[in-house]
Amino acid sequence: GKEMKVALVHEGWKHLSKNRYELYNKQVTCGFEKAKEFADKKEARISKIYNTDEIEIRIANSDGAKWIKKLYTDNIDVHFQLDRFHVKQAIIRNILEPAVQSKVGKAYDNQEIERMFMLIEAYENSICDEKDEKKLQDLQKYLKTNVEGLIPYQKRNLRLPELPEGLEYRGMGACEHNVDLTVARRMKHNGASWSIEGASNLGAILALKASKKLSSTMEMITKSILPESISKEIVT
């Protein structure tokens, strides 16, 4: 099996109605390239839309995987945030005692990072089972490796540029949810199996769909090689 990489960028949250928001100018890139090649592909997509010299700040939300961090190694304007869903998931999977789960989770929610690590270490010292100890060590390694991303970006005293009217800064959401909406729901289930070429092609279509550029891209491609009547039918 091969992992399809997905990168999603947007400019902020647009308020639609009460308790309803959408990502503004959402753009999606996906593919099977190695991290460096995928980073170049992502940056090329961004540079088609924006003057990258004018980008003041970026917030990068991910599960902390090494290949994802490589996407931003050359960008000093990027501030990494560890995806909250994956932190909570790691706490639940590696701490078996519900009361300790709750205390550690609460410390994380309150941005009491030192207290969170103290609680995990104290619990590790209180158990004897080697498997449970290994789980706690794995949890601590995961959190300490990504410690710079544990505090939400809104709590870091960053100088955030003023957004255009109608847009807001909000939480980063769950990266897993966006991966599911973009590619996983269509490609992963019902026993689906793909060649690299087939998955890359469908991934490109799904990325265009998520970016709201599928119709315009289809129109541009088909108009250059097909009669107008057939092109119009395909786009429709």
Side-chain angles (χ1 to χ4, degrees), residues 117-149:
F117 282 117
M118 285 175 59
L119 288 167
I120 297 172
E121 289 171 9
Y123 181 54
E124 182 186 354
N125 292 332
S126 71
I127 60 177
C128 300
D129 187 90
E130 288 186 9
K131 288 184 179 179
D132 291 346
E133 284 185 25
K134 177 66 166 57
K135 282 179 175 288
L136 293 170
Q137 289 165 5
D138 289 344
L139 175 61
Q140 289 192 75
K141 182 180 179 181
Y142 173 64
L143 296 174
K144 288 180 178 178
T145 300
N146 297 290
V147 69
E148 77 277 16

Side-chain angles (χ1 to χ4, degrees), residues 19-235:
N19 298 324
R20 288 193 66 236
Y21 295 82
E22 71 174 3
L23 300 179
Y24 181 72
N25 201 15
K26 179 171 71 172
Q27 303 294 322
V28 179
T29 305
C30 60
F32 291 99
E33 296 87 353
K34 292 182 179 179
K36 181 61 173 68
E37 294 168 346
F38 186 72
D40 293 341
K41 182 178 180 179
K42 167 186 64 69
E43 289 301 313
R45 177 69 181 276
I46 291 172
S47 65
K48 281 185 178 180
I49 305 166
Y50 306 103
N51 180 348
T52 54
D53 291 336
E54 295 180 357
I55 297 176
E56 295 181 47
I57 191 170
R58 303 191 202 187
I59 311 297
N61 185 64
S62 81
D63 61 3
K66 289 182 179 179
W67 75 263
I68 297 177
K69 288 187 175 181
K70 289 180 181 178
L71 300 185
Y72 301 100
T73 51
D74 298 328
N75 297 89
I76 60 173
D77 61 337
V78 174
H79 298 266
F80 165 69
Q81 179 173 312
L82 190 60
D83 185 69
R84 290 180 61 80
F85 167 79
H86 284 89
V87 176
K88 291 298 188 76
Q89 183 184 64
I91 290 171
I92 292 170
R93 285 181 174 176
N94 293 290
I95 298 176
L96 304 181
E97 177 58 49
V100 180
Q101 275 182 17
S102 178
K103 288 180 181 178
V104 172
K106 188 175 181 180
Y108 168 66
D109 288 336
N110 294 333
Q111 290 92 55
E112 299 172 340
I113 305 305
E114 288 187 17
R115 173 173 164 75
M116 180 185 73
F117 282 117
M118 285 175 59
L119 288 167
I120 297 172
E121 289 171 9
Y123 181 54
E124 182 186 354
N125 292 332
S126 71
I127 60 177
C128 300
D129 187 90
E130 288 186 9
K131 288 184 179 179
D132 291 346
E133 284 185 25
K134 177 66 166 57
K135 282 179 175 288
L136 293 170
Q137 289 165 5
D138 289 344
L139 175 61
Q140 289 192 75
K141 182 180 179 181
Y142 173 64
L143 296 174
K144 288 180 178 178
T145 300
N146 297 290
V147 69
E148 77 277 16
L150 291 175
I151 301 294
Y153 76 93
Q154 303 100 315
K155 306 288 186 181
R156 300 186 196 176
N157 297 318
L158 298 175
R159 294 183 62 186
L160 299 173
E162 185 176 348
L163 292 176
E165 186 177 352
L167 298 186
E168 299 179 21
Y169 287 108
R170 288 171 57 81
M172 296 298 290
C175 56
E176 206 73 30
H177 175 67
N178 285 300
V179 170
D180 180 59
L181 287 179
T182 305
V183 294
R185 195 172 292 182
R186 174 63 180 83
M187 300 179 69
K188 234 177 135 178
H189 305 296
N190 302 316
S193 179
W194 305 90
S195 67
I196 294 297
E197 183 180 12
S200 297
N201 289 336
L202 183 56
I205 291 171
L206 292 170
L208 286 168
K209 181 171 181 269
S211 305
K212 297 183 179 178
K213 285 191 166 44
L214 181 57
S215 293
S216 60
T217 303
M218 289 296 293
E219 186 174 8
M220 178 184 67
I221 293 172
T222 56
K223 271 188 174 180
S224 65
I225 59 175
L226 295 172
E228 185 176 348
S229 59
I230 299 176
S231 173
K232 186 175 179 181
E233 182 180 350
I234 288 172
V235 172

